[in-house]
Amino acid sequence: NAGVMQNPRHLVRRRGQEARLRCSPMKGHSHVYWYRQLPEEGLKFMVYLQKENIIDESGMPKERFSAEFPKEGPSILRIQQVVRGDSAAYFCASSSGTGYDEQYFGPGTRLTVT
Amino acid sequence: GDSVTQMEGPVTLSEEACLTINCTYTATGYPSLFWYVQYPGEGLQLLLKATKADDKGSNKGFEATYRKETTSFHLEKGSVQVSDSAVYFCALSGSSNTGKLIFGQGTTLQVKP
């Protein structure tokens, strides 16, 4: 039973380029969460999605960031016109439900903006 | 809003020493509480959890008790090993009932042989 898959593991982008981060949840999981970990900090919630729906995007920056979780395929976190401050580790987690259900984390994508 | 505060690290211990990492929280309602562990270069793994007051979560020799009266969820282990060296995160499942996790800033543990 494969765990949560994220790719790429490392991504380097120049300022102004776009970054696309992919997350495939565990089999049978229909809930996906994205978190960002800035250097020397804890994880901060960004967005929570179910298939084809954004449920809570209260942690997403208002501009340049978007997320989707289509009916087929992985969840995508998209960052347009990246800036150096976007450099961070981005983690995806999936669960089979909400509330008390355990979230299983992927290995993360480490984005470096040069 | 909901928040989690952990003791600052790094914490450096000798093998077989006792460990306590303090965690306190602020939340409305009755959150679930978690400890996650992150090994270098990896994602987070759930270490233990507690879903209601006075519950004790335990795993791999680690334990933590959900104390509503002191709003705390301190992580303890009686005898640490070198392999326990990692970053430990306390988290709560907030009052929004979407399941999103609110994390503390993390505590780095280094265990020396």
Side-chain angles (χ1 to χ4, degrees), chain A residues 4-75:
Chain A
V4 178
M5 309 288 285
Q6 288 188 251
N7 66 79
R9 293 290 307 272
H10 300 274
L11 182 62
V12 180
R13 284 285 178 267
R14 291 197 182 97
R15 278 179 296 171
Q17 291 185 319
E18 179 179 287
R20 281 184 180 240
L21 288 62
R22 293 174 184 76
C23 168
S24 296
M26 284 183 69
K27 187 176 180 181
H29 286 188
S30 58
H31 301 249
V32 166
Y33 302 80
W34 285 94
Y35 297 86
R36 176 165 65 175
Q37 184 179 30
L38 293 169
E40 307 299 324
E41 292 187 16
L43 280 73
K44 304 288 188 196
F45 167 79
M46 299 182 74
V47 62
Y48 162 47
L49 310 102
Q50 294 179 22
K51 286 282 187 183
E52 300 185 279
N53 285 304
I54 296 174
I55 307 301
D56 181 348
E57 56 182 347
S58 58
M60 286 274 272
K62 294 284 184 277
E63 297 177 352
R64 302 186 298 107
F65 285 72
S66 62
E68 62 177 14
F69 188 16
K71 188 176 178 182
E72 302 290 337
S75 176

Side-chain angles (χ1 to χ4, degrees), chain A residues 9 33 35 58 100 102-103 105, chain B residues 32 41 46 98-101:
Chain A
R9 293 290 307 272
Y33 302 80
Y35 297 86
S58 58
Y100 303 148
E102 177 179 348
Q103 293 182 25
F105 281 78
Chain B
S32 292
L46 179 65
T98 61
K100 69 183 183 187
L101 295 171

Side-chain angles (χ1 to χ4, degrees), chain B residues 10 15 17 21 23-24 26-27 32 34 37 41 46 54 59 65 77-78 84 87 90:
Chain B
E15 206 164 21
I21 300 178
C23 171
T24 57
T26 302
S32 292
F34 306 84
V37 58
L46 179 65
D54 300 325
N59 186 26
T65 301
K77 188 174 186 183
D84 294 326
V87 183
C90 185

